[in-house]
Amino acid sequence: MQQIQIPPLAKGETYIGCIGDASGNVYHIILLPGDNDDASWQDQIEWAKSIGGDLPNRIEQAMFFANHRDKFKKDWYWSNETHASDSDYAWHQFFDYGCQNNYHKAASLRARAVRRLPI
């Protein structure tokens, strides 16, 4: 089995691990430092981009809850995923007991940003 090399991290970043997507692409997930206070989904998307990242997807958020929940407040955090049947809604993760749900994008929730590096 080939050992995966952890990429260099900037100050405050946390290496989460590697994950594959439905297309077979494998990439590293790095949690960027900082936690953004409550804001709408679009504002959180823009905030993440402003610091060189993206909001995590639902699978990444599940990894965070399983292995790094201490990096999050016990609160709701936006994902980057719009709900498939209603584009006015997006998915989020609750970092107290771990559930995921969807909510109207105008609602104000917290955010953390990630960067992804292909392997």
Side-chain angles (χ1 to χ4, degrees):
M1 179 184 245
Q2 182 181 8
Q3 187 172 14
I4 295 174
Q5 295 292 328
I6 295 175
L9 302 175
K11 183 177 180 179
E13 292 183 335
T14 302
Y15 182 74
I16 301 300
C18 31
I19 191 168
D21 63 20
S23 301
N25 301 310
V26 179
Y27 55 94
H28 297 283
I29 298 292
I30 298 164
L31 184 65
L32 300 181
D35 184 307
N36 205 33
D37 288 333
D38 293 349
S40 71
W41 182 81
Q42 188 61 48
D43 288 346
Q44 297 293 28
I45 292 281
E46 291 170 15
W47 166 77
K49 286 180 185 175
S50 77
I51 62 168
D54 185 19
L55 296 183
N57 63 41
R58 291 169 39 204
I59 301 297
E60 294 162 354
Q61 285 184 322
M63 286 177 64
F64 300 159
F65 183 77
N67 300 311
H68 297 281
R69 75 181 79 156
D70 61 320
K71 304 281 185 196
F72 295 81
K73 296 180 187 285
K74 292 182 177 184
D75 208 346
W76 296 99
Y77 285 79
W78 284 120
S79 80
N80 67 358
E81 292 187 49
T82 295
H83 194 277
S85 64
D86 190 339
S87 62
D88 288 337
Y89 287 76
W91 289 93
H92 59 279
Q93 170 89 36
F94 190 39
F95 280 91
D96 188 8
Y97 55 85
C99 75
Q100 292 185 345
N101 208 336
N102 60 81
Y103 208 50
H104 197 276
K105 291 178 177 179
S108 293
L109 304 179
R110 302 188 75 78
R112 292 291 307 259
V114 298
R115 66 184 173 102
R116 298 174 188 92
L117 299 173
I119 297 177

